[in-house]
Amino acid sequence: MIKTAVMGYGVVGSGVYEILRKNADVIAKRLGEEIDIKYILDIREFENHPEKELFVKDANVIAEDKEVEIVVETMGGVTFAYEFTKKMLMAGKSVVTSNKELVSTKGTELFEIAREHNAAYMFEAAVGGGIPVIRPLVNCLAANRIKAVCGILNGTTNYILTKMFKENRSFDAALKEAQESGYAEKNPAADVEGTDTVRKIAILTALAFGSNIDDNKIPAEGITKITSEDVSCAAKAGYAIKLMGSSFIEGDKVFARVCPMLVPYECPLAGVEDVFNAVQFTGDMVGNVMLYGRGAGKSATASAIVGDIMHIAKRNEFDPRFAWGEERENTFIDPADTRYKYFMRSESSEEEIKEAFGCVKFIEGCSDAFITEEMSEAECEKKGEKIDISSKIRVYEVKE
């Protein structure tokens, strides 16, 4: 029997407990061994819990118990989660987490500690929630050189944009509905300003290309400036607007960005709606592979965590495939050099727009909207100074 502990008994932590109890027979059959929870770490009291004897308030109890082999971290944040994760790894215990902030900011250091103590540190639930993303990348696509990663990585923003697209809601109205439905927090900043997506694309980029990416280097724009007029004009041109996390590699240089983008209807990502997420990898041999499903939620996220527990139970040691190294110097492409087509809305005249941008495609049914030819960020910025621009959104290019 494999003994585990759960640190943090919130929404996800309680979901892990429920799966390990409810599906204990299925897990034991597939694994060939039972998984049991010996401790649950939380500072709160749970007097009405059916197994209240499992709860402890001191992380050292778990760290010093040699029977505990695998620890689940669902505390959130960085400070205590980092301290306790480090403590468990140094005690030779493997750790599974759903904490995207911790993995994206401290992952490189924690991988090294795990390596030194031959322990596993796994984080499937930190990126795709319930969508299997990490293991398909490191296992099924292992024969490929990954050229690009992109995806809709935040269910809250996708729900809001879907409401704006399908029901002609304003951003504020769609956000309020998302909050009332439980899809958005009271303070939704991390979602709507793109921070959550930055952390996820940082993890995927580091894993795909082999070295850490500093979150602060990733340019990020949220969806707070997207209007119903933008959505309507994009639809008339054959596009859906999605908040995209994307990255690519050119030679030995890497680039990552988070921003709203116009995605053409023929691209499968355009059809990802409501709280669903999708991740697309582009491999040099396989082309585009898309993984789709619920990116968040108690049961979906807990399911991914238990999957990691079962993986470790079969091979309880450091696995270099699920890690990356230190950030390499001078390997991040200057954002000014990246190239896109741009969707814009402007009250300037057609003559003024053509004089500034040259050949553009005006969108039928939208007198103030057009799409430019491909150009660099720097070139677009310079040309844009010649006219009044009310909206500017990059256009996603489907690549093979």
Side-chain angles (χ1 to χ4, degrees):
M1 179 178 289
I2 297 170
K3 297 286 186 179
T4 66
V6 176
M7 299 192 300
Y9 199 69
V11 172
V12 178
S14 62
V16 173
Y17 167 85
E18 290 168 11
I19 291 176
L20 288 175
R21 288 295 186 251
K22 184 177 180 179
N23 290 353
D25 57 337
V26 175
I27 293 168
K29 183 177 179 180
R30 292 176 179 168
L31 189 59
E33 191 171 4
E34 293 182 16
I35 296 177
D36 187 40
I37 301 174
K38 188 167 183 180
Y39 301 108
I40 300 173
L41 178 71
D42 204 293
I43 60 172
R44 296 169 295 172
E45 299 291 340
F46 291 88
E47 286 299 323
N48 297 322
H49 194 279
E51 295 186 272
K52 63 181 181 180
E53 70 278 3
L54 299 181
F55 286 85
V56 296
K57 293 182 171 64
D58 185 356
N60 289 317
V61 173
I62 301 171
E64 294 169 6
D65 191 328
K66 293 188 175 1
E67 279 195 335
V68 176
E69 299 178 51
I70 304 170
V71 179
V72 174
E73 184 273 300
T74 51
M75 302 172 68
V78 171
T79 306
F80 291 110
Y82 166 69
E83 178 188 334
F84 293 165
T85 296
K86 186 175 178 179
K87 185 187 295 288
M88 299 305 158
L89 291 172
M90 292 179 71
K93 302 180 189 304
S94 294
V95 177
V96 176
T97 186
S98 60
N99 191 336
K100 66 188 77 69
E101 184 179 6
L102 180 63
V103 177
S104 65
T105 58
K106 300 290 187 179
T108 307
E109 178 186 351
L110 293 173
F111 292 138
E112 189 55 37
I113 295 171
R115 187 195 307 271
E116 290 172 0
H117 295 86
N118 199 31
Y121 183 53
M122 297 189 67
F123 48 93
E124 182 72 72
V127 178
I131 310 171
V133 174
I134 305 301
R135 280 192 292 276
L137 174 60
V138 302
N139 289 328
C140 305
L141 300 178
N144 286 256
R145 294 181 188 275
I146 302 300
K147 300 191 294 182
V149 180
C150 69
I152 298 163
L153 301 171
N154 182 275
T156 299
T157 53
N158 205 43
Y159 178 88
I160 291 169
L161 290 170
T162 299
K163 287 292 179 182
M164 294 177 71
F165 174 73
K166 285 194 157 185
E167 300 176 21
N168 198 31
R169 297 275 203 274
S170 67
F171 169 79
D172 289 337
L175 171 58
K176 183 178 179 182
E177 189 170 337
Q179 290 171 322
E180 291 172 347
S181 301
Y183 296 135
E185 301 288 343
K186 185 176 181 180
N187 180 358
D191 294 319
V192 299
E193 292 176 4
T195 306
D196 178 79
T197 301
V198 165
R199 291 166 181 159
K200 293 174 179 177
I201 197 63
I203 293 169
L204 287 173
T205 302
L207 199 58
F209 306 133
S211 62
N212 184 53
I213 298 295
D214 183 351
D215 291 9
N216 296 316
K217 288 185 178 179
I218 299 177
E221 298 171 26
I223 65 168
T224 56
K225 295 180 181 178
I226 302 296
T227 67
S228 53
E229 290 79 12
D230 294 333
V231 174
S232 176
C233 288
K236 289 174 182 177
Y239 296 89
I241 299 179
K242 301 292 182 182
L243 182 67
M244 300 283 283
S246 59
S247 64
F248 61 87
I249 188 167
E250 289 183 353
D252 63 348
K253 290 186 175 291
V254 173
F255 183 74
R257 181 190 294 278
V258 170
C259 65
M261 300 191 83
L262 266 67
V263 182
Y265 287 156
E266 61 266 24
C267 175
L269 289 166
V272 178
E273 298 182 338
D274 295 317
V275 294
F276 284 82
N277 289 181
V279 180
Q280 179 175 285
F281 298 108
T282 303
D284 62 345
M285 297 293 118
V286 76
N288 291 332
V289 173
M290 190 176 91
L291 304 161
Y292 165 88
R294 289 190 178 275
K298 176 179 180 175
S299 296
T301 305
S303 172
I305 289 173
V306 175
D308 275 350
I309 293 172
M310 294 173 70
H311 178 91
I312 293 171
K314 294 177 182 178
R315 180 183 176 180
N316 195 1
E317 60 185 10
F318 180 79
D319 189 337
R321 297 175 301 166
F322 296 89
W324 54 80
E326 293 284 353
E327 183 176 9
R328 299 188 300 270
E329 290 187 13
N330 303 317
T331 59
F332 201 80
I333 295 172
D334 186 339
D337 295 333
T338 57
R339 300 180 65 82
Y340 303 91
K341 292 181 180 178
Y342 294 86
F343 162 90
M344 295 186 187
R345 291 178 50 237
S346 171
E347 293 297 329
S348 298
S349 67
E350 286 193 13
E351 290 74 19
E352 289 172 322
I353 291 170
K354 288 179 180 178
E355 183 178 346
F357 284 94
C359 183
V360 299
K361 178 182 178 182
F362 290 96
I363 297 173
E364 188 175 347
C366 294
S367 59
D368 65 344
F370 61 95
I371 295 176
T372 72
E373 294 289 295
E374 184 181 282
M375 64 187 71
S376 71
E377 287 273 312
E379 185 180 0
C380 181
E381 191 72 25
K382 185 174 182 179
K383 291 181 175 182
E385 293 174 355
K386 300 176 182 178
I387 62 171
D388 295 323
I389 299 172
S390 58
S391 294
K392 182 175 75 173
I393 307 171
R394 297 168 187 84
V395 178
Y396 175 73
E397 181 183 355
V398 180
K399 297 180 180 180
E400 286 289 346

